């Protein structure tokens, strides 16, 4: 028995490390929970049972939490849940258990976002302030002071499926990696989201009041419901389980929490979890099936991704027969052989995933030494297998064209039609879409006149394209929709963008050196393609006027304080943005001017004086705007 206990403890610690540090779990949550329950039955006081799990890597600044960020106790059936519920006095609050990255955000005595940290080992986490500042759903300034907001950073399923599903295992792992990027601009490019679930320092008496407070402060707070009985809670659990596949975020259960904050103090905590909250987990439905093959698909980026093909099997309400294996590292770790028996799950109830190999038969399958599309010798870069010549690879060309059609929402231009057009030598690059004729389309096999006219009508509707959409459709490295929107709004026109220097890009909030280099490089690489497209399409003029880079406030960061008498503050901020400047809410080392109105010396003015930020009067500001 002692050998089994030691083995279980080692496995649990190993899987904790894979989940929290590597963001690459090798078993399902359900399988992990089974290991924990087995260890608990053999050795209830094992130290491994109180290990919260840690995302600390030793590379970042550590932040000590104001109170521990603990794990949650778990249950899987109504009997176990009812035993917990019976200890609670009063209502409980139900909310979805988001499968994301726990995060603590601190606001200072002026209500400004001061720092943010991961959960870490529960007592201290890693400093991720710069990256959290770039998550759109997190306010930089709030009306309350000296409070801490906790929540989950996650990636929406729709965004994951559209941009990342072929190369990454699941949204949670990708969000974890994106959140800990060393370059904040690269982190911002992933377009992460945030759900707030707790606020410390507010003095509120109930959880219901806390969530109302979070919503009023501008956070996306999770949907919650106050419930009165185990039966109501069970129904909420079943409702979430039923609508799980319809949500735009992954959930793996429902969290229940005592509504009255006084109950938190009465019940207390253990070294592992608070006694006043529990996670009612979904049963991890899985199925065993036989692998028949592994296909290798070539993505738009040149990454060659393994895809498991297996005997169709019913999992979590759907029949599945294939699942991405995501990268060469995971493929190699699984040791897949043809006819191996594998365990398949649908992560988040949606995404098919090969969880483990149950029985292997014969030698492991090799990875391809040549690109399955163009036949060139493959190269390994980190965890991924790559095609060495993406510019001439047929599958990469097809993927780029499909990406272009997808971003522009050209209905009807799916994989079959696009590949038919490529095979017929009618489509080589995006501009060819706008040259298609009825006669050319009718020459395709099984192409009727009605469908051909519909396809041409779709193309005609897309001859005017917004600048952000156009940039995203081109598919530059590091240029996703979030960055495209940012730079389009800043420069106002494609002409200005193509002429912009490295220094101009780095002056934009959220754009770091890496992206500031890759965007001009992209314009250079796609120069001829862009010119060809501009002969057939029009870039819609953005609402923002083209900025005059000689204006004294172009590219400047301007903060306002006090009561303005000549201008309304919102009007003044609008004028700065119209000149190509920024108007953050608080003073920092990046602030160029603090505009001071009437009133006593403010906290902002004191901060400006301390940091050496130029302070100007409202009258001087108006002169600068003229």
């Amino acid at each position: 028995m002692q050998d089994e206990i030691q083995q279980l403890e080692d496995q649990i610690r190993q899987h904790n490390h894979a989940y929290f540090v590597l963001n690459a779990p090798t078993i399902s949550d359900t399988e992990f929970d089974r290991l924990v329950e087995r260890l608990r039955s053999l050795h209830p006081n094992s130290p491994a049972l109180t290990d919260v799990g840690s995302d600390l890597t030793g590379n970042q600044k550590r932040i000590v939490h104001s109170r521990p960020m603990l794990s949650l106790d778990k249950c899987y059936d109504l009997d176990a849940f009812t035993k917990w519920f019976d200890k609670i006095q009063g209502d409980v609050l139900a909310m979805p258990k988001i499968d994301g990255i726990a995060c603590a955000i601190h606001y200072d005595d002026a209500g400004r976002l001061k720092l943010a940290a991961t959960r870490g080992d529960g007592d201290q986490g890693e400093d991720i302030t710069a990256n959290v500042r770039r998550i759109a759903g997190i306010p930089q300034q709030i009306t309350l002071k000296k409070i801490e907001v906790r929540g989950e950073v996650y990636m929406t399923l729709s965004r994951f499926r559209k941009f990342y599903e072929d190369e990454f295992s699941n949204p949670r792992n990708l969000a974890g990696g994106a959140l800990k990027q060393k370059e904040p601009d690269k982190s911002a490019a992933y377009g992460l989201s945030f759900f707030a679930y707790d606020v410390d320092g507010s003095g509120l008496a109930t959880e219901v009041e806390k969530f109302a407070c979070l919503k009023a402060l501008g956070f996306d707070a999770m949907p919650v419901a106050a419930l009165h009985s185990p039966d109501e809670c069970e129904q909420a659990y079943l409702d979430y389980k039923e609508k799980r596949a319809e949500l735009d975020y992954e959930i793996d259960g429902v969290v229940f929490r005592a509504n009255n904050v006084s109950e938190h103090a009465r019940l207390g905590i253990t070294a592992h979890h608070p006694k006043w909250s529990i996670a009612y987990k979904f049963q991890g439905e899985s199925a065993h099936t036989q692998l028949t093959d592994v296909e290798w698909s070539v993505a738009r980026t040149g990454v060659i991704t393994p895809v498991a093909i297996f005997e169709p099997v019913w999992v979590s309400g759907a029949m599945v027969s294939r699942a991405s294996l995501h990268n060469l590292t995971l493929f190699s770790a699984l040791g897949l052989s043809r006819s191996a028996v594998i365990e398949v799950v649908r992560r988040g109830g949606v995404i098919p995933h090969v969880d483990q190999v149950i029985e292997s038969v014969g030698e492991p399958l090799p990875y391809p030494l040549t690109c399955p599309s163009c036949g060139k010798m493959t190269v390994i870069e980190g965890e991924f297998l790559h095609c060495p010549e993406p510019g001439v690879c047929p599958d990469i060309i097809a993927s780029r064209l499909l990406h272009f059609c997808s971003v522009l929402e050209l209905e009807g231009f799916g994989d079959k039609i696009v590949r038919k057009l490529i095979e017929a030598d009618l489509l080589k690059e995006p501009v060819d879409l706008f040259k298609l004729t009825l006669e050319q389309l009718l020459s395709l096999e099984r192409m009727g006149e009605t469908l051909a006219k519909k396809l041409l009508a779709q193309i005609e509707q897309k001859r005017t394209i917004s600048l952000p959409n156009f940039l995203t459709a081109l598919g530059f490295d590091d240029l996703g929709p979030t960055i495209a929107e940012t730079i389009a709004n800043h420069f106002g026109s494609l002409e200005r963008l193509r002429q912009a220097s490295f220094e101009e890009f780095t002056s934009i909030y959220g754009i770091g050196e890496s992206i500031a280099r890759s965007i001009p490089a992209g314009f250079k690489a796609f120069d001829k393609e862009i010119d060809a497209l501009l002969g057939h399409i029009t870039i819609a003029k953005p609402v923002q006027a083209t900025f005059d880079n000689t204006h004294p406030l172009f590219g400047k960061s301007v903060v306002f304080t006090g009561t303005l008498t000549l201008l309304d503050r919102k009007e003044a901020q609008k004028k700065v943005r119209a000149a190509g400047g920024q108007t953050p809410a608080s003073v920092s080392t990046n602030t160029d001017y603090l505009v001071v109105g009437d009133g006593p010396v403010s906290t902002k003015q004191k901060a400006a004086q301390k940091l050496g930020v130029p302070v100007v009067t409202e009258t001087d500001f108006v002169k600068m705007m003229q």
Side-chain angles (χ1 to χ4, degrees):
M1 185 175 76
Q2 191 58 42
D3 288 344
E4 183 181 1
I5 289 173
Q6 184 63 55
Q7 185 179 16
L8 286 167
E9 289 177 337
D10 291 343
Q11 287 179 311
I12 287 169
R13 291 188 172 109
Q14 176 187 342
H15 291 307
N16 261 334
H17 180 78
Y19 184 85
F20 287 101
V21 177
L22 304 180
N23 288 309
T26 55
I27 62 172
S28 66
D29 286 355
T30 305
E31 199 64 31
F32 178 78
D33 290 340
R34 286 176 188 154
L35 295 176
V36 171
E37 290 306 314
R38 176 61 178 165
L39 178 58
R40 182 175 283 120
S41 68
L42 296 176
H43 185 17
N45 298 318
S46 169
L49 294 172
T50 59
D51 287 348
V52 174
S54 173
D55 57 39
L56 298 175
T57 61
N59 300 324
Q60 300 291 331
K61 177 183 174 183
R62 303 289 177 88
I63 303 295
V64 177
H65 295 306
S66 57
R67 62 180 172 89
M69 292 188 75
L70 301 175
S71 185
L72 287 173
D73 199 12
K74 303 176 182 70
C75 67
Y76 287 92
D77 56 61
L78 182 57
D79 286 342
F81 174 78
T82 302
K83 288 179 182 178
W84 172 84
F85 185 93
D86 288 343
K87 300 173 185 176
I88 306 296
Q89 296 177 7
D91 296 343
V92 300
L93 213 64
M95 66 198 77
K97 186 178 183 299
I98 307 295
D99 195 13
I101 310 298
C103 173
I105 306 171
H106 296 259
Y107 289 84
D108 64 16
D109 54 8
R112 299 168 300 197
L113 196 160
K114 180 182 179 182
L115 63 85
T118 65
R119 187 179 76 165
D121 61 8
D123 292 319
Q124 57 181 345
E126 289 185 0
D127 187 343
I128 51 169
T129 308
N131 292 348
V132 164
R133 287 186 188 279
R134 287 158 172 79
I135 298 176
I138 296 178
Q140 302 297 304
Q141 178 94 35
I142 60 176
T143 53
L144 289 183
K145 302 174 182 180
K146 298 183 96 169
I147 67 164
E148 177 185 348
V149 173
R150 293 184 174 184
E152 294 279 333
V153 175
Y154 68 99
M155 177 175 284
T156 61
L157 285 167
S158 56
R159 186 173 182 82
F160 177 76
R161 291 173 191 142
K162 187 170 184 179
F163 298 108
Y164 304 109
E165 187 171 15
D166 288 340
E167 296 176 30
F168 295 92
S169 58
N170 61 69
R172 192 262 175 200
N173 293 359
L174 180 55
L179 194 60
K180 298 176 93 171
Q181 280 277 347
K182 292 182 179 179
E183 297 183 40
D185 55 309
K186 284 194 172 183
S187 180
Y190 286 95
L192 300 176
S193 299
F194 180 75
F195 263 140
Y197 60 63
D198 199 6
V199 54
D200 260 3
S202 63
L204 297 172
T206 68
E207 292 294 310
V208 169
E209 291 172 323
K210 284 186 181 181
F211 277 89
C213 173
L214 288 166
K215 186 175 181 180
L217 291 174
F219 290 94
D220 290 332
M222 281 188 277
V224 296
L227 305 173
H228 315 290
S229 69
D231 288 342
E232 286 186 3
C233 294
E234 175 73 1
Q235 188 57 55
Y237 167 84
L238 294 173
D239 289 343
Y240 270 114
K241 189 173 183 180
E242 184 176 347
K243 66 182 180 183
R244 183 182 185 186
E246 302 170 13
L247 301 175
D248 198 24
Y249 42 85
E250 282 194 319
I251 66 172
D252 55 6
V254 182
V255 174
F256 294 91
R257 186 186 297 174
N259 184 32
N260 293 322
V261 174
S262 59
E263 281 293 277
H264 301 188
R266 184 181 72 84
L267 293 168
I269 63 174
T270 71
H272 179 264
H273 62 267
K275 294 180 180 180
W276 41 266
S277 186
I278 196 168
Y280 195 164
K281 298 285 291 289
F282 298 135
Q283 291 287 354
E285 185 179 345
S286 63
H288 293 179
T289 185
Q290 190 172 54
L291 185 77
T292 58
D293 200 3
V294 172
E295 292 180 356
W296 294 81
S297 63
V298 187
R300 173 175 58 89
T301 58
V303 171
I304 303 173
T305 305
V307 179
I309 311 300
F310 43 83
E311 293 294 335
V313 64
W314 189 263
V315 187
S316 298
M319 188 69 74
V320 294
S321 59
R322 56 193 292 128
S324 174
L325 296 172
H326 312 297
N327 57 54
L328 181 61
T329 300
L330 179 59
F331 167 80
S332 301
L334 286 169
L336 293 165
S337 61
R338 191 169 278 108
S339 300
V341 178
I342 58 176
E343 182 176 41
V344 178
V345 299
R346 291 180 70 209
R347 284 189 163 165
V350 178
I351 302 168
H353 177 76
V354 176
D355 228 29
Q356 61 179 322
V357 175
I358 304 300
E359 181 183 347
S360 187
V361 181
E363 291 295 315
L365 292 167
Y367 68 84
L369 299 177
T370 59
C371 174
S373 175
C374 66
K376 305 292 183 182
M377 293 295 292
T378 55
V379 294
I380 298 174
E381 297 179 12
E383 294 185 322
F384 300 97
L385 195 65
H386 284 258
C387 170
E389 297 190 32
V392 297
C393 183
D395 279 358
I396 294 176
I397 292 171
S399 295
R400 284 201 62 236
L401 288 164
L402 286 165
H403 172 77
F404 188 89
C405 293
S406 174
V407 173
L408 265 57
E409 297 181 342
L410 280 167
E411 293 183 12
F413 285 88
D415 187 77
K416 288 184 179 179
I417 291 293
V418 167
R419 289 186 183 275
K420 277 186 178 182
L421 289 167
I422 292 172
E423 290 168 6
D425 205 27
L426 297 175
L427 192 57
K428 294 180 181 177
E429 55 185 89
V431 69
D432 295 332
L433 287 163
F434 300 95
K435 298 178 182 179
L436 290 172
T437 66
L438 182 62
E439 291 73 23
Q440 288 175 329
L441 288 175
L442 289 175
S443 69
L444 298 178
E445 185 180 356
R446 296 185 178 180
M447 175 64 71
E449 186 172 345
T450 300
L451 176 56
K453 287 181 176 180
K454 284 183 178 179
L455 293 175
L456 290 174
Q458 278 290 307
I459 293 169
E460 287 303 311
Q461 291 175 16
K462 305 299 180 182
R463 289 190 182 272
T464 298
I465 307 170
S466 73
L467 181 54
N469 262 16
F470 180 72
L471 296 172
T472 306
L474 291 174
F476 291 6
D477 287 345
D478 296 326
L479 186 54
T482 303
I483 298 297
E485 186 80 32
T486 298
I487 62 175
N489 288 340
H490 183 85
F491 290 103
S493 71
L494 180 61
E495 292 74 21
R496 279 283 297 114
L497 262 170
R498 294 177 79 177
Q499 297 167 7
S501 65
F502 169 80
E503 290 74 21
E504 286 179 290
F505 279 114
T506 55
S507 71
I508 305 171
Y509 182 78
I511 304 294
E513 292 186 3
S514 175
I515 290 180
R517 289 192 183 93
S518 67
I519 295 174
F523 279 123
K524 184 177 181 181
F526 290 87
D527 189 58
K528 292 182 180 179
E529 185 174 305
I530 292 170
D531 285 339
L533 280 165
L534 292 177
H536 294 268
I537 66 169
T538 300
I539 305 298
K541 290 184 178 181
V543 176
Q544 292 84 356
T546 302
F547 299 125
D548 175 9
N549 62 5
T550 64
H551 192 284
L553 292 180
F554 174 78
K556 302 299 183 183
S557 175
V558 183
V559 178
F560 295 87
T561 187
T563 303
L564 302 183
T565 57
L566 301 176
L567 291 169
D568 175 77
R569 181 176 294 194
K570 288 186 178 179
E571 182 186 352
Q573 291 174 328
K574 186 176 180 180
K575 286 181 178 294
V576 173
R577 291 193 291 267
Q582 300 173 37
T583 57
S586 58
V587 173
S588 71
T589 54
N590 296 321
T591 305
D592 293 292
Y593 299 108
L594 174 68
V595 179
V596 179
D598 292 340
V601 176
S602 66
T603 303
K604 292 180 183 178
Q605 194 167 347
K606 291 178 182 177
Q609 291 168 349
K610 186 176 180 180
L611 295 171
V613 173
V615 176
V616 300
T617 65
E618 183 182 2
T619 302
D620 290 336
F621 168 75
V622 172
K623 289 179 181 177
M624 294 169 74
M625 293 303 306
Q626 293 175 348

